[in-house]
């Protein structure tokens, strides 16, 4: 499913209105009706629509008129401006609602909101430009207070007010909605944190604006990515068909083993662990090699490398080997954990060949690379992921709830699979391994990152269902990969 920025949405709106000659008020009527239907589903006795001065407010006025038309007698509008100050379609929408008998009042700061079972947040949408202050900030606090006291339901029109529709940033007060009715397409800022935490359940309403798919649009990862990343397994294939993954073994050998298991379960034909010493307890199926002077020959047969899981920060041969590989390796690879640290040298970020490596930082690692704080990364995750991709040339998976996948060419995907079952040591190593396994099978780095993130999250969910969110271990996530792959192949094609 595509995810659009405010700017992209404005282009789609403009095209529908000026080229396809659909009047804006027609689109607004569909938007407001969808909002009204979402409210009606809660069977409310009383609805209050909070309306701003722009077209988002217009959606709220239309919704109020439809609710009244459909028999909700107690519906009223609390507007941030006097009706005389409204212009264009929002003015038309308000005029019709008032003619239909919808009572309205202008919000005065400090005033409590009238009681309701459902509040519609139509204060600001994609036109929001800066953090809320003054009257609007006050209105949002009044909503929060009345909802806390009454348990009323909040439905946001298009975007919860206070959430940046493009970046998901929440830089001031913001409405917490249980549901968001997205007009024509979900806005990117409601798919990623922190914005998604304010949007609740997002439902896309077809308001008559056609969204043409294009590479520039962000999207959620899907099971289709997994199907596309895994090659067809014909009867005459052999282990060489599915590639060899080389895993660099450092100080913590268990992490390298988990990465290797992830790669193997994701379908790599062969996993090779290479380190200073043999790894005791590694699966018998793994090939083991010791480092030699000519590292190139150790990994020469590998189609993809995984560097970082368990590498450690003690310097020494593994680290020298990793640096060497980073400088000379010409095939795809995954850089994780302590491997990422190697990208920042003498205060500068190393530039990698575009799209060759997949980087899998968690927010703290991303912050270290960008020389900023973890809080700053988490507040503006989209910016952090896209900047790291642009500056390093790597495909970035910025991990965490709703992982963001960013290609240096600007493509963005959001991964919605996964849950707290993955909040345990070693799951990051498994992700690095899965991505390495997909790379070895020939998936390009962006697809491998998208499919890998999806599969890893899905495996985490399945493991969590079986073993609880509390008790799932990274090795359980590995064990759930086969079922996650099976599920991806049986997923309903409509999701695409
Ligand atoms: N024809 C269209 O363009 C359609 C638009 N629709 C709705 O219209 C929305 C976009 O409408 P607009 O572009 O009018 O924008 P908004 O209604 O989101 O914002 C209106 C105005 O509020 C002001 N504003 C922005 N940030 C503010 C802040 N922090 N404090 C105080 N004032 C602030 C700005 O002057 C802005 O133009 C969409 O989100 C959607 O809900 C839908 O009705 C479908 C059709
Ligand atoms: K809104």
């Amino acid at each position: 499913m595509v995810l659009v920025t405010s700017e992209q949405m404005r282009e789609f709106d403009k095209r529908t209105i000026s080229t396809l000659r659909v009047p804006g008020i027609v689109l607004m009527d569909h938007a407001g009706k969808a909002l009204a239907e979402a409210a009606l589903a809660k069977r409310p006795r009383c609805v209050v629509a909070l309306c701003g001065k722009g077209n988002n407010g217009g959606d709220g006025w239309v919704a109020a008129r439809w609710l009244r038309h459909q028999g909700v007698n107690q519906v009223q509008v609390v507007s941030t401006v006097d009706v005389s100050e409204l212009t264009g379609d929002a003015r038309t929408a308000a005029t019709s609602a008032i003619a239909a008998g919808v009572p309205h009042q202008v919000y005065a700061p400090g005033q409590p909101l009238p009681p309701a079972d459902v509040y519609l947040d139509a204060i600001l949408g994609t036109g929001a430009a800066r953090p809320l202050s003054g009257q609007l900030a006050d209105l949002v606090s009044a909503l929060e207070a009345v909802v806390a006291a009454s348990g009323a339901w909040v439905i946001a029109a298009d975007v919860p007010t206070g959430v940046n529709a493009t970046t998901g940033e929440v830089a001031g007060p913001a409405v917490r909605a249980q549901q968001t009715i997205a007009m024509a397409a979900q806005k990117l800022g409601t798919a990623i944190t922190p914005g998604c935490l304010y949007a609740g359940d997002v439902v896309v309403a077809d308001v008559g604006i056609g969204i043409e798919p294009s590479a520039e649009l962000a999207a959620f990862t899907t099971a289709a990515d997994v199907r596309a990343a895994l090659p067809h397994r014909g009867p005459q294939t052999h282990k060489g068909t599915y590639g060899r993954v080389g895993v660099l073994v450092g100080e913590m050998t268990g992490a390298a083993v988990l990465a290797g298991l992830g790669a193997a379960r994701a379908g790599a034909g062969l996993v090779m662990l290479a380190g200073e010493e043999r790894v005791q307890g590694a699966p018998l199926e793994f090939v083991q090699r010791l480092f030699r002077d000519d590292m190139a020959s150790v990994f020469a047969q590998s189609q993809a490398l995984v560097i970082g899981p368990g590498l450690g920060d003690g310097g020494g041969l593994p680290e020298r080997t990793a640096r060497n590989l980073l400088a000379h390796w010409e095939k795809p690879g995954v850089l994780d954990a302590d491997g990422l640290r190697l990208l920042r040298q003498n205060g500068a970020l190393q530039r990698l060949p575009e799209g060759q490596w997949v980087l899998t930082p968690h927010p703290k690692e991303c912050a270290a690379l960008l020389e900023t704080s973890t809080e700053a990364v988490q507040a503006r995750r989209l910016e952090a992921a896209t900047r790291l991709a642009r500056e390093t040339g790597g495909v970035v998976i910025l991990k965490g709830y709703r992982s963001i996948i960013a290609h240096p060419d600007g493509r963005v995907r959001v991964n919605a699979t996964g849950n707290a079952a993955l909040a345990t040591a070693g799951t990051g190593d498994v992700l690095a391994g899965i991505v390495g396994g997909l790379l070895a099978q020939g998936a390009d780095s962006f697809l491998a990152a998208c499919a890998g993130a999806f599969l890893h999250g899905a495996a985490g969910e399945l493991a969590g269902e079986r073993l609880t969110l509390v008790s799932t271990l990274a090795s359980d996530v590995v064990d759930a990969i086969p079922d996650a792959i099976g599920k991806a192949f049986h997923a309903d094609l409509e999701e695409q």
Side-chain angles (χ1 to χ4, degrees):
M1 189 170 76
V2 299
L3 300 165
V4 301
T5 65
S6 295
E7 201 185 328
Q8 288 163 344
M9 195 61 228
R10 266 192 292 280
E11 283 304 310
F12 287 122
D13 284 349
K14 213 161 78 188
R15 186 179 163 275
T16 310
I17 294 169
S18 29
T19 314
L20 301 180
R21 305 272 166 187
V22 182
I25 190 69
V26 172
L27 304 176
M28 189 176 282
D29 201 59
H30 286 298
K33 191 173 183 211
L35 198 56
E37 278 163 1
L40 273 176
K42 302 304 293 178
R43 302 186 174 279
R45 280 188 308 112
C46 184
V47 179
V48 169
L50 309 175
C51 297
K53 68 173 179 181
N55 286 338
N56 194 253
D59 294 349
W61 282 98
V62 170
R65 174 172 57 77
W66 272 108
L67 283 163
R68 186 147 183 122
H69 172 77
Q70 301 201 327
V72 181
N73 291 322
Q74 293 186 60
V75 52
Q76 62 172 302
V77 166
V78 173
S79 170
T80 62
V81 293
D82 190 81
V83 176
S84 61
E85 292 174 52
L86 297 174
T87 56
D89 295 335
R91 176 74 176 258
T92 309
T95 308
S96 314
I98 293 164
V102 173
H104 56 102
Q105 56 176 281
V106 176
Y107 178 71
Q111 178 192 323
L113 288 174
D117 313 306
V118 174
Y119 291 90
L120 303 179
D121 159 26
I123 307 169
L124 290 176
T126 52
R130 54 192 176 275
L132 305 186
S133 60
Q135 183 212 28
L136 295 199
D138 208 84
L139 177 54
V140 170
S141 326
L143 176 63
E144 204 169 69
V146 75
V147 167
S150 66
W153 192 258
V154 180
I155 304 175
D158 212 15
V159 186
T161 298
V163 170
N164 184 308
T166 298
T167 65
E169 198 178 345
V170 179
V175 169
R176 280 190 187 271
Q178 274 91 3
Q179 194 180 32
T180 293
I181 306 301
M183 309 311 170
Q186 181 170 354
K187 309 303 163 310
L188 178 54
T190 63
I192 55 184
T193 59
C196 67
L197 306 174
Y198 290 74
D201 186 23
V202 180
V203 179
V204 177
D206 184 354
V207 300
I209 299 171
I211 305 289
E212 283 154 36
S214 77
E216 277 113 67
L217 299 184
F220 279 117
T221 59
T222 65
D225 294 329
V226 176
R227 296 193 291 268
L230 290 169
H232 172 68
R233 298 212 160 211
Q236 289 185 307
T237 57
H238 51 86
K239 67 174 184 282
T241 315
Y242 303 106
R244 177 191 282 232
V245 176
V247 182
L248 187 84
V249 182
E251 292 172 13
M252 289 151 283
T253 54
V257 171
L258 279 172
L261 287 168
R265 284 286 188 223
L270 189 146
V271 170
M272 183 183 66
L273 302 180
E276 284 184 284
E277 293 167 18
R278 293 184 68 80
V279 178
Q280 302 305 321
L284 291 176
E285 293 87 346
F286 288 7
V287 170
Q288 295 214 38
R289 291 270 185 278
L290 300 185
F291 289 157
R292 286 187 252 130
D293 291 341
D294 58 334
M295 277 314 301
S297 69
V298 174
F299 286 111
Q301 305 298 318
S302 300
Q303 275 68 47
L305 287 188
V306 178
I307 297 181
L311 183 63
D313 56 5
L317 185 57
E319 185 166 322
R320 282 203 305 281
T321 306
R323 284 189 195 283
N324 199 3
L325 286 164
L326 257 185
H328 301 296
W329 182 251
E330 289 177 344
K331 288 182 257 183
V334 183
L335 204 54
D336 182 40
D338 276 315
L340 291 163
R341 188 173 47 80
L342 308 181
L343 282 180
R344 187 164 267 291
Q345 292 186 69
N346 310 321
L349 266 182
Q350 184 177 340
R351 175 97 205 153
L352 303 163
E354 179 153 320
Q356 183 190 344
W357 291 87
V358 177
L359 318 183
T360 54
H362 56 54
K364 196 170 163 205
E365 289 160 346
C366 184
L369 286 171
L370 296 176
E371 290 194 313
T372 182
S373 66
T374 308
E375 294 70 32
V377 166
Q378 290 297 69
R380 292 180 289 280
R381 281 171 59 83
L382 182 67
E383 186 192 316
T386 52
R387 196 182 132 206
L388 188 61
R390 214 173 39 242
E391 293 187 10
T392 58
V395 172
V396 170
I397 304 178
L398 176 56
K399 295 186 288 198
Y401 184 62
R402 298 281 168 104
S403 292
I404 298 175
I405 297 114
H407 191 283
D409 69 9
R411 279 177 287 165
V412 170
R413 296 285 181 274
V414 177
N415 186 60
T417 63
N419 58 25
L422 292 166
T424 187
T427 55
D429 306 321
V430 177
L431 171 66
I434 293 174
V435 175
L438 297 174
L439 288 171
Q441 291 172 85
D444 78 59
S445 53
F446 192 60
L447 180 61
C450 294
F454 184 95
L455 199 50
H456 177 254
E461 287 172 16
L462 290 171
E465 269 169 36
R466 202 164 61 80
L467 299 161
T468 76
L469 301 184
V470 179
S471 298
T472 301
L473 303 181
S475 53
D476 301 321
V477 178
V478 169
D479 292 344
I481 294 171
D483 281 344
I485 291 176
K487 201 171 156 188
F489 275 89
H490 290 106
D492 192 341
L493 293 176
E494 79 181 24
E495 71 186 358
Q496 299 171 59

